[in-house]
Amino acid sequence: MNRVMNGFFVFLTVAGLGFLSFFGGVLVGEYDVRPFYSLLRPAFALADLLCDRPMNGALLGNSGLWSARPAGKTGLVYAAPSKAFEGYTLLSSAHEQSAFLYDMQGELVHKWQLPFEQIWETPPYAETPAAHAQFYWRSMHLYPNGNLLVSCCLADNPRGYGLVLMDSESNPVWTLDERVAGAFSVDGAGRIHALVREIRNEPIPDLPQLVCPFIDDVLVTFSPEREVLSRVSLIDQAVKAVGGRNLSFLKPLPDGALGTSSIHPVSSALAGKFPAVNEGDLLVSMSAAGLLAIVSADTGKIEWIFDGPGEKQSCARASAAGDILLFDGQGLKQRGLKSAVVRLDPAKRKVTWLYSGQPGQALNSAYHAVLEELPNANLLVTEAMEGRIFELTPDRKVVWDWRSPFRAGKDDSFVAVVLGAKRYGKNEIDFKFNNGGREWF
């Protein structure tokens, strides 16, 4: 009798598991509903990027492109004109495929807008038209004549979908069909240094924890005519640079073991601190690994690497004085901080200056934040997940403060993430603004 009952319970267990598996498969395959999404998100994300299968719009809230933040004042909320750097602020926002140019009074003076489906008639990587609304512009470069170069990315797929150059009227000029994953920079010679994420199927002996397939961050340099000049695996270079040190901290994450988040040129002052580094080499922030590195623009070799002072830094830039400026989104938690702007002496490998916000208003942007040093030595800080851009003096005073008006949800309880901002002096751009029919040049 006991044997019969045990067999019956085994049968019920197997049948129940089979039904749940079938039902779960129907939910995922037919309706894109994902049970235990929070727990299994890395597995779902990796499956999506390997299959080039964008996520359904119902899951966009999990993408990190909208933040739950209480509604408040929007637009320009504070300005001290005599202490701020005069110019125009370019920014992109997660709520649509557009770029916005604001004056110092917070007035919109120009807008670029180019939906994804108008860029590529036959998209090289995105096969689901319904997903086009989930694309956003991650990084941008504005040329003096109003041409705008942007990288197209998609929520919950870290591999990127290419670069597009458009004119000042938002007409596409050319596209570059590489999996550019957000980060890129344009040097003085017009070369484009871009992060391309590639699926890698060959193991790395020194990193047995990276089970194939995994994402490799590849630094690709293109000529102004978009020809590939070099293609370098950053993870291979990182392994060579750290030598025999323990690399167990590198994990097979959905966005890559390194999670490279920014690429910016090295200043002459920073290059002067290292014998093998030249002006124009590239300072790279490897966010997921918590690494900073300087990569030779000519050879692709990592000439300097540092695993600190924190981790999860979303942006690193060389200052005019030769320091490294970075926005650390999460890595300084041991100091009790949510996020911090840090100035690092790279030779001494020591933090010399830190800003974590004002009383009652702590910096808080785990991802996507951006920094820029302005000609007057102030910093333009994009606190991305707060939908905020502000200008900060060396003595930690806020002299210009803008809050995103792009909100959604009940009582405007969500703000669109601001994905990047840059301030341009009036002598740096030379085209006619078209907002409201006003001509500025």
Side-chain angles (χ1 to χ4, degrees), residues 99-164:
F100 307 85
L101 193 67
Y102 288 91
D103 64 16
M104 294 300 291
Q105 290 72 47
E107 297 291 330
L108 179 68
V109 296
H110 193 81
K111 178 179 178 179
W112 294 259
Q113 186 170 27
L114 187 58
F116 184 82
E117 59 268 24
Q118 295 180 20
I119 300 174
W120 284 279
E121 183 176 346
T122 305
Y125 310 115
E127 299 178 356
T128 308
H132 291 175
Q134 299 177 23
F135 283 89
Y136 60 93
W137 296 351
R138 179 65 183 91
S139 297
M140 301 178 294
H141 178 80
L142 179 60
Y143 294 88
N145 65 355
N147 284 1
L148 184 68
L149 181 63
V150 304
S151 58
C152 295
C153 296
L154 177 63
D156 281 307
N157 192 321
R159 291 191 63 198
Y161 285 80
L163 293 175
V164 58

Side-chain angles (χ1 to χ4, degrees), residues 37 41 55-67 155-156 414:
Y37 179 81
R41 179 175 178 174
M55 294 181 64
N56 185 279
L59 295 174
L60 186 59
N62 294 302
S63 68
L65 299 182
W66 291 85
S67 296
D156 281 307
F414 284 81

Side-chain angles (χ1 to χ4, degrees), residues 83-105:
K83 298 180 180 179
F85 175 71
E86 182 77 17
Y88 300 99
T89 303
L90 176 73
L91 65 95
S92 62
S93 172
H95 77 288
E96 66 178 39
Q97 296 148 44
S98 299
F100 307 85
L101 193 67
Y102 288 91
D103 64 16
M104 294 300 291
Q105 290 72 47

Side-chain angles (χ1 to χ4, degrees), residues 22-51:
F22 171 78
F23 183 66
V26 170
L27 288 176
V28 174
E30 188 68 24
Y31 301 104
D32 207 13
V33 175
R34 304 180 180 203
F36 308 107
Y37 179 81
S38 297
L39 179 64
L40 300 177
R41 179 175 178 174
F44 282 129
L46 184 58
D48 282 334
L49 68 91
L50 290 174
C51 300

